[in-house]
Amino acid sequence: GDSVTQMEGPVTLSEEAFLTINCTYTATGYPSLFWYVQYPGEGLQLLLKATKADDKGSNKGFEATYRKETTSFHLEKGSVQVSDSAVYFCAVSSGGSYIPTFGRGTSLIVHP
Amino acid sequence: NAGVTQTPKFQVLKTGQSMTLQCAQDMNHNSMYWYRQDPGMGLRLIYYSASEGTTDKGEVPNGYNVSRLNKREFSLRLESAAPSQTSVYFCASSPTTGGGQPQHFGDGTRLSIL
């Protein structure tokens, strides 16, 4: 079945620092890729997605590019804010059912 | 916009008690899901319903049952709660299970079993 590997956290950064959270996947066929964000006490919210190779998903200053050759979908942001502190989940969906598989999540802590 | 609504938000049970977690969505979505979230484990799928009238097991179905009551509502039942079922439970929905469609999540039910 599908699988997702995310870098372990927590990732601790100062405000305005550059963020990268690595995500690699294994999946059959032509999967769709997602990043979700979870703020404390809340459910997951879609942050961005990409549905085919070389697509770049972007939202709220976050970006991720679907790299089929390296089976990766790394999340980046040029300048993080304290309000970006949250847990970030990478997910992949493919195959007959398209039920997404989630990574274990990466906690981001941004200090002022 | 209510989206996906879960009740209750918090619950404490004793081992062996039963309870039902409720979920309702107002987005006219066909597919609904139940996940559990445990520290360091990410989200694990318990059951899902691809469309009204169907339900299927996910990765960790043991100890749970589900009912797709109608298109809007999808409930999760613990018949005899065990401490290993202490977790945060999330309900989600999507238009269908088709590729590229993101899920919409509720805010979760935090369940403790003593």
Side-chain angles (χ1 to χ4, degrees):
Chain A
D2 298 347
S3 68
V4 175
T5 302
Q6 287 182 238
M7 59 189 293
E8 290 195 18
V11 173
T12 305
L13 296 173
S14 297
E15 203 164 27
E16 300 184 1
F18 185 86
L19 169 70
T20 299
I21 299 178
N22 291 337
C23 171
T24 58
Y25 66 90
T26 58
T28 56
Y30 302 92
S32 295
L33 303 173
F34 307 86
W35 277 101
Y36 287 84
V37 59
Q38 183 182 31
Y39 298 103
E42 298 183 7
L44 279 68
Q45 305 172 26
L46 178 69
L47 182 59
L48 52 84
K49 72 173 187 179
T51 57
K52 62 181 188 293
D54 300 324
D55 267 2
K56 177 184 285 187
S58 62
N59 186 25
K60 300 181 181 179
F62 290 90
E63 294 183 337
T65 301
Y66 186 160
R67 301 288 188 198
K68 193 167 178 64
E69 65 275 14
T70 55
T71 62
S72 66
F73 193 53
H74 303 321
L75 183 68
E76 297 182 336
K77 186 175 185 183
S79 176
V80 294
Q81 305 300 312
V82 172
S83 57
D84 294 326
S85 299
V87 180
Y88 293 82
F89 290 89
C90 183
V92 60
S93 72
S94 72
S97 72
Y98 287 101
I99 306 297
T101 297
F102 288 84
R104 295 190 175 190
T106 301
S107 175
L108 170 65
I109 301 169
V110 181
H111 293 294
Chain B
N1 283 346
V4 178
T5 302
Q6 292 184 236
T7 55
K9 295 189 183 304
F10 302 93
Q11 186 70 48
V12 178
L13 293 178
K14 295 181 179 178
T15 298
Q17 287 185 317
S18 63
M19 84 161 293
T20 300
L21 280 60
Q22 307 287 352
C23 174
Q25 52 90 11
D26 63 0
M27 295 171 284
N28 201 36
H29 285 172
N30 287 303
S31 303
M32 298 184 73
Y33 315 79
W34 277 106
Y35 292 91
R36 60 178 290 173
Q37 183 179 31
D38 301 294
M41 299 295 292
L43 287 172
R44 293 184 291 172
L45 183 66
I46 305 171
Y47 271 93
Y48 69 99
S49 171
S51 61
E52 187 179 356
T54 69
T55 61
D56 286 287
K57 294 178 181 180
E59 180 185 355
V60 289
N62 291 346
Y64 305 95
N65 287 301
V66 291
S67 296
R68 184 72 183 266
L69 304 170
N70 48 55
K71 191 171 185 179
R72 291 186 62 247
E73 299 173 287
F74 188 38
S75 63
L76 178 71
R77 183 162 178 83
L78 286 70
E79 290 290 353
S80 178
S84 61
Q85 294 177 304
T86 293
S87 187
V88 182
Y89 291 85
F90 288 99
C91 178
S93 70
S94 63
T96 69
T97 56
Q101 299 188 54
Q103 294 176 315
H104 299 255
F105 286 81
D107 285 339
T109 294
R110 285 144 185 83
L111 182 62
S112 294
I113 299 160
L114 307 177

